[in-house]
């Protein structure tokens, strides 16, 4: 009798566990109830032109009605989340895998390179593929045939190896959409219908697709959501349910989607780039948010997966109200005032303390493909790190001001200025001894000597003029060697000048608008030939000195000084073009 009683209890426990496992809930089934009126009172002072929607378990509340309640929401962050959700469904169906190299699916666009780390579907979803940012001068507008191999291939320019840094990557999303289409042999609109609108009982007009030309930060594929569709998508972060209480993806797949251990991070305490969204810790709680968002995006989301709550912030005027800042502030206020306190824990081991940190850093939220934009980036927003010791570091900003940061942990620092924002913090990546750093959620990368080389751009005209002055020996010297040096100098300077002018002014237009890659290769070959011609000057100088071919008399010191200037200019030009990534480059992209 007693044994039967034990078996009955055991059967009941097992049945309960199976039932719980089968529930179509999020990672955590129990949500913390929030009073909409209480939350609304906490956010009334935020963003005059904004609309805030709260998702609390199955309940949805509009906290800030705002204006234009029925407006279509065009959001890069929500588009990324939707593509990630569709990818999760395709993974569950076995159509694609996260760690599959995309070169094996779309070799006509992304070629396999045995000397580089292969770009995978995971890299594309975490925005760590390392593709260059398209030139912002390209005219943006509708481009229905964007996701065609012959057009997209020209944008496949790597600026960093995969898995180094997560930054907004328009090219990566174009590649991902093409990858998904190729994997299932279906167009992207069909995937949106099959894996989003139908499962959630939405109409096709609730999520319409717009294609655009790749230009700067513009997303190549942007989904226009109704407010209901946007809210439904945000709710997917905390609930795995569709209509009729069906699961969106298998529970194991949903849990893997929210697994922080599989995300990309620069530092154990830095933000985590997940599959289509970002995760960070606040007061011991995990907050999910839009992946690599910026204030130009008019909609942002945050979610508490454990607490079963999410917030959608819609800015009706992105110039006045930043949606990402608004969503972040709302979630942090709720976590601080309405959720029970939790004890923060260090889940990952911290790296050993650095032996030194120094160098010049520039913004890395974009990786320009165009030389003109790379040079502008190097000189517009940068800082240098120095004064390293066990207690902290010194940061010198672009305007010359110096600020002291004190050590809070390995590769972690915060401002020591009592009159400055206490949230001003630096988190360095242990990779390459601080090769990257997050400053107030903005990524920077170390460039050191390359940054100094970019400052030489102002000296470039003087260097070229100095080299061109070597042509005077074509008319003043009778010796054949002197006259040959003059010809090489004039020809080399002309070819380098022409090539640099085309690089700095015409490259994006010739490649992407005129589709004349051969022309770019032509001027790059000419530029490198010119550089080799200019580099004969130091060799001629040494030869003249050894063979005693220098002119005698009062003009000798003048000629010697001129030759020294010519040689120094030639070597400076070489170093500058190497630092700019121009020397030795022949292909158009």
């Amino acid at each position: 009798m007693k044994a039967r009683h034990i078996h009955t209890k055991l059967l009941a426990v097992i049945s309960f566990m199976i039932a719980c496992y089968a529930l179509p809930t999020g990672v955590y089934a129990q949500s913390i109830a929030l009073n909409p009126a209480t939350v609304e009172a906490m956010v009334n002072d935020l963003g005059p032109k904004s609309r805030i929607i709260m998702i609390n378990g199955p309940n949805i509340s509009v906290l800030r009605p705002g204006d234009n309640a029925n407006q279509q929401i065009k959001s890069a962050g929500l588009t990324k989340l939707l593509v990630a959700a569709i990818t999760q469904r395709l993974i569950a169906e076995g159509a694609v895998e996260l760690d599959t190299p995309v070169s094996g699916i779309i070799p006509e666009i992304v070629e396999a390179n045995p000397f580089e780390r292969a770009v995978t579907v995971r890299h594309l979803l975490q925005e760590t593929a390392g593709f260059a940012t398209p030139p912002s001068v390209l005219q943006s507008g509708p481009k229905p045939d964007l996701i065609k191999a012959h057009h997209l291939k020209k944008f496949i320019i790597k600026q960093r190896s995969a898995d180094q840094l997560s930054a907004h990557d328009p090219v990566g999303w174009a590649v991902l959409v093409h990858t998904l289409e190729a994997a299932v042999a279906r167009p992207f609109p069909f995937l949106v219908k099959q894996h989003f609108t139908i499962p959630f009982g939405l109409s096709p007009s609730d999520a319409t697709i717009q294609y655009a030309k790749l230009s700067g930060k513009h997303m190549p594929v942007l989904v226009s959501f109704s407010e209901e569709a946007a809210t439904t998508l945000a709710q997917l972060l905390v609930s795995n349910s569709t209509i009729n209480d069906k699961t969106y993806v298998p529970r194991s797949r949903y849990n893997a989607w929210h697994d922080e251990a599989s995300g990309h991070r620069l530092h154990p305490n830095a933000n985590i780039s997940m599959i289509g969204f970002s995760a960070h810790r606040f007061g011991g709680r995990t907050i999910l948010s839009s992946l690599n968002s910026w204030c130009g995006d008019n909609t942002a989301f945050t979610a508490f997966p454990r607490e079963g709550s999410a917030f959608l912030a819609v800015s009706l005027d992105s110039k006045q109200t930043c949606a990402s800042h608004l969503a972040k502030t709302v979630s942090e206020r709720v976590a601080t005032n309405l959720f029970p306190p939790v004890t923060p824990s260090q889940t990952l081991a911290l790296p050993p303390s650095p032996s030194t940190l120094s160098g010049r850093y520039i913004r890395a939220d974009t990786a320009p493909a165009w030389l003109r934009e790379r040079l502008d980036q190097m000189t517009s927003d940068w800082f240098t790190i120095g004064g390293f010791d066990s207690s902290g570091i010194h940061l010198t900003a672009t305007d010359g001001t110096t600020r002291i940061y004190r050590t809070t942990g390995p590769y972690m620092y915060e401002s020591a200025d009592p009159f400055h924002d206490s949230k001003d913090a630096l988190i360095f990546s242990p990779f390459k001894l601080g090769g990257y750093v997050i400053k107030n959620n903005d990524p920077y990368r170390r460039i050191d000597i390359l940054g100094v080389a970019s400052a030489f751009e102002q000296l470039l005209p003087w260097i070229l003029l100095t080299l061109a002055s070597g042509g005077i020996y074509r008319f003043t010297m009778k010796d054949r060697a002197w006259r040959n040096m003059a010809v090489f100098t004039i020809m080399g300077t002309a070819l380098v000048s022409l090539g640099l002018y085309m690089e700095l002014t015409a490259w994006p237009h010739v490649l992407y608008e005129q589709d004349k890659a051969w022309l770019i290769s032509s001027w790059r070959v000419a530029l490198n030939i010119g550089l080799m011609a200019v580099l004969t000057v130091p060799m001629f100088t040494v030869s003249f000195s050894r063979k005693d071919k220098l002119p005698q008399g009062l003009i000798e010191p003048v000629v010697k000084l001129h030759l020294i200037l010519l040689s120094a200019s030639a070597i400076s030009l070489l170093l500058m073009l190497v630092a700019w990534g121009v020397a030795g480059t022949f292909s158009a992209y």
Side-chain angles (χ1 to χ4, degrees), residues 203-225:
S203 68
S205 60
D206 285 324
T208 57
I209 296 99
Q210 297 179 352
Y211 294 99
K213 295 178 181 178
L214 282 164
S215 173
K217 283 188 171 184
H218 294 286
M219 285 286 285
V221 179
L222 195 64
V223 179
S224 181
F225 298 91

Side-chain angles (χ1 to χ4, degrees), residues 402-420:
T402 299
R403 186 173 299 138
I404 299 175
Y405 287 75
R406 61 173 175 266
T407 304
T408 58
Y411 292 93
M412 298 173 60
Y413 302 86
E414 67 178 15
S415 176
D417 186 352
F419 301 102
H420 197 264

Side-chain angles (χ1 to χ4, degrees), residues 246-359:
K246 294 181 179 179
T247 56
Y248 183 70
V249 292
R251 183 162 184 156
S252 59
R253 180 76 259 149
Y254 190 81
N255 290 344
W257 190 9
H258 288 70
D259 182 15
E260 297 178 20
S262 63
H264 173 274
R265 63 180 94 201
L266 289 179
H267 186 280
N269 288 341
N271 290 357
I272 310 168
S273 297
M274 306 284 282
I275 305 300
F277 54 83
S278 178
H280 69 278
R281 294 279 180 161
F282 178 79
R285 299 184 184 279
T286 297
I287 301 180
L288 310 181
S289 57
S290 306
L291 180 62
N292 294 320
S293 60
W294 68 96
C295 286
D297 196 6
N298 69 351
T299 304
F301 60 83
T302 53
F304 295 91
R306 288 182 175 86
E307 293 74 15
S309 298
F311 298 90
L312 195 65
V314 182
S315 173
L316 305 178
D317 186 348
S318 58
K319 294 182 179 179
Q320 292 190 23
T321 304
C322 179
S324 58
H325 292 170
L326 180 60
K328 181 175 181 289
T329 303
V330 171
S331 59
E332 290 182 353
R333 287 185 181 182
V334 169
T336 302
N337 298 289
L338 300 181
F339 289 159
V342 294
T343 302
S345 60
Q346 180 67 45
T347 57
L348 295 178
L350 293 174
S353 298
S355 57
T356 184
L357 286 174
S358 62

Side-chain angles (χ1 to χ4, degrees), residues 70-73 202 205-208 224-231:
N70 296 321
Q71 70 170 351
Q72 289 293 107
I73 297 174
L202 301 169
S205 60
D206 285 324
T208 57
S224 181
F225 298 91
S226 67
E227 187 172 285
E228 180 186 2
T231 305

